[in-house]
């Protein structure tokens, strides 16, 4: 089978698609024939060597956090899935993998998958696994968005951003999207009540907001000051300056900046599928690449500036 692997830490050109033996599921595991995977920040950080404590320093390292596909076979003790079941899921982000989602087959624990939502293709579903679950956990669990609250989504055109705009709208929030001006019409169609150009809008010009969802990681202290009393802010960008702002916010004042590691199991994926099936959450796919072009997909991801997700069709 073909699988994408990291051969050394570095730029996208360290990625290789190689032929290896198909893995077999152990007890409590499922073998999935992968149809699509998406490119996520976690993938590029691992590839660049930013998560060596997790990935280790022994090569090759598998790449691809999420996937959609069909069950091939199950290991001992797995009773909820049968061959042919269509599923989506993700490998564990804090475990080392020599084969991950960007491969023709992947083995995962049965509690890391869930039935894929009906009505969307494998490519479309793959665009939502990590992005959608991250947005759902951020809004529902981390900040507890309530109906009628004012929400700012920074980096609204990215994978997590487009999902957060839609879910915040579905939860009854009044949504302001901060993104490139050329994405204004598309973000409005996704549910944003207001779309502001990030290149010309400063934090001092907007707000106040009850909730801020940040995917950028810069100027967090300035945006934190735009929260209402009792307002909540969550960021998924964990750069050095972002970590410093999070630490300061936990000591000074009530407007704490929250963060989390999105590591959804089947329960979150089930809830996410319900949002997709109901039409509250739609996939936003910017581009699709074959597995053999995964390095090109990583390059495109790191350039940024797109609307939605880069997806790998396997």
């Amino acid at each position: 089978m073909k699988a994408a692997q990291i051969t050394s830490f570095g730029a996208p050109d360290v990625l290789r698609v190689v032929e290896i033996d198909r893995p077999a599921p152990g007890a409590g595991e499922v073998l999935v024939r992968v149809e699509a995977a998406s490119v996520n920040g976690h993938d590029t950080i691992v590839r660049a060597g930013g998560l060596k404590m997790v990935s280790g320093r022994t090569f090759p390292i598998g790449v691809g956090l999420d996937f959609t596909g069909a069950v091939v076979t199950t290991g001992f003790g797995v009773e909820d899935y049968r061959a042919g079941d269509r599923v989506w899921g993700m490998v564990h982000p804090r475990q080392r993998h020599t084969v991950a989602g960007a491969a023709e087959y992947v083995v995962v624990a049965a509690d890391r998958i869930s039935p894929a939502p009906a009505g969307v293709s494998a490519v479309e579903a793959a665009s939502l696994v990590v992005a959608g679950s991250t947005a759902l956990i951020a809004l529902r669990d981390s900040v507890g968005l309530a109906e009628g609250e004012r929400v700012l989504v920074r980096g609204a055109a990215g994978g997590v951003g487009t999902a957060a705009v839609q879910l915040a709208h579905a939860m009854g929030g009044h949504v302001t999207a901060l993104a490139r001006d050329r994405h204004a019409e598309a973000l409005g169609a996704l549910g944003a009540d207001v779309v502001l150009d990030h290149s010309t809008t400063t934090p001092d010009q907007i707000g106040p907001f009850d909730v801020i969802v940040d995917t950028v990681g810069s100027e967090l202290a300035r945006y934190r000051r735009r929260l209402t009393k009792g307002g909540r802010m969550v960021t998924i960008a964990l750069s050095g300056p972002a970590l410093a702002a999070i630490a300061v916010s936990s000591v000074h004042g009530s407007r704490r900046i929250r963060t989390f590691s999105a590591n959804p199991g089947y329960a979150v994926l089930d809830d996410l599928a319900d949002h997709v099936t109901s039409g509250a959450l739609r996939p936003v796919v910017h581009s699709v690449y074959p597995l053999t072009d995964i390095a090109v997909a990583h390059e495109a991801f790191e350039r940024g500036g797109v609307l939605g997700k880069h997806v790998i069709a396997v």
Side-chain angles (χ1 to χ4, degrees):
M1 71 170 216
K2 292 182 173 62
Q5 294 182 328
I6 300 166
T7 57
S8 63
F9 294 127
D13 60 6
V14 303
L15 293 167
R16 297 286 184 275
V17 177
V18 299
E19 287 282 349
I20 60 174
D21 292 337
R22 193 175 84 176
E29 294 181 332
V30 177
L31 175 66
V32 176
R33 177 174 54 80
V34 177
E35 297 177 8
S38 78
V39 181
N40 296 285
H42 178 274
D43 305 323
T44 60
I45 294 170
V46 169
R47 189 210 71 228
L51 288 173
K52 293 174 184 175
M53 292 290 290
V54 175
S55 67
R57 300 169 183 265
T58 302
F59 300 98
I61 298 169
V63 66
L65 191 57
D66 54 20
F67 57 87
T68 58
V71 173
V72 177
T73 186
T74 60
F76 177 78
V78 177
E79 299 179 351
D80 294 334
Y81 298 99
R82 298 289 183 269
D85 288 349
R86 303 197 61 77
V87 297
W88 64 352
M90 59 185 291
V91 300
H92 200 296
R94 294 192 291 273
Q95 292 179 355
R96 186 184 186 281
H97 307 275
T98 57
V99 176
E104 291 183 321
Y105 296 88
V106 65
V107 166
V108 292
D111 62 2
R112 306 290 305 169
I113 62 174
S114 172
V120 293
S121 69
V123 164
E124 291 171 327
S127 73
L128 291 171
V129 179
V130 168
S133 59
T134 300
L136 181 60
I137 292 169
L139 288 164
R140 185 189 65 187
D141 303 332
S142 185
V143 299
L145 176 64
E147 185 175 358
E149 289 192 309
R150 297 179 60 85
V151 186
L152 173 68
V153 180
R154 292 189 69 208
V160 176
T162 52
V165 166
Q166 295 179 75
L167 291 172
H169 174 75
M171 294 175 184
H174 181 279
V175 184
T176 296
L178 195 58
R180 294 173 187 259
D181 186 60
R182 66 172 179 262
H183 300 314
E185 183 177 352
L187 289 168
L190 292 176
D193 298 285
V194 178
V195 182
L196 300 174
D197 184 354
H198 79 94
S199 67
T200 59
T201 304
T202 67
D204 299 335
Q205 296 173 319
I206 56 176
F209 299 99
D210 303 296
V211 166
I212 297 176
V213 177
D214 171 78
T215 72
V216 181
S218 62
E219 298 187 289
L220 295 190
R222 292 184 68 191
Y223 280 97
R224 179 188 175 215
R225 290 195 287 270
R226 308 315 299 161
L227 288 171
T228 59
K229 184 178 180 180
R232 294 90 68 204
M233 182 175 180
V234 60
T235 183
I236 65 166
L238 297 183
S239 62
L243 291 172
I246 292 168
V248 169
S249 77
S250 67
V251 177
H252 299 286
S254 61
R255 301 174 182 88
R256 181 178 176 185
I257 303 173
R258 300 162 170 85
T259 189
F260 63 93
S261 175
N263 183 23
Y266 68 90
V268 171
L269 294 172
D270 277 349
D271 290 344
L272 189 66
D274 290 341
H275 284 288
V276 177
T277 303
S278 72
L281 179 61
R282 307 197 305 271
V284 182
V285 177
H286 180 268
S287 53
V288 182
Y289 301 84
L291 181 61
T292 50
D293 284 347
I294 189 169
V296 179
H298 272 228
E299 290 172 354
F301 177 91
E302 292 180 330
R303 283 196 300 272
V306 303
L307 180 73
K309 293 286 290 183
H310 299 288
V311 179
I312 306 297
V314 181

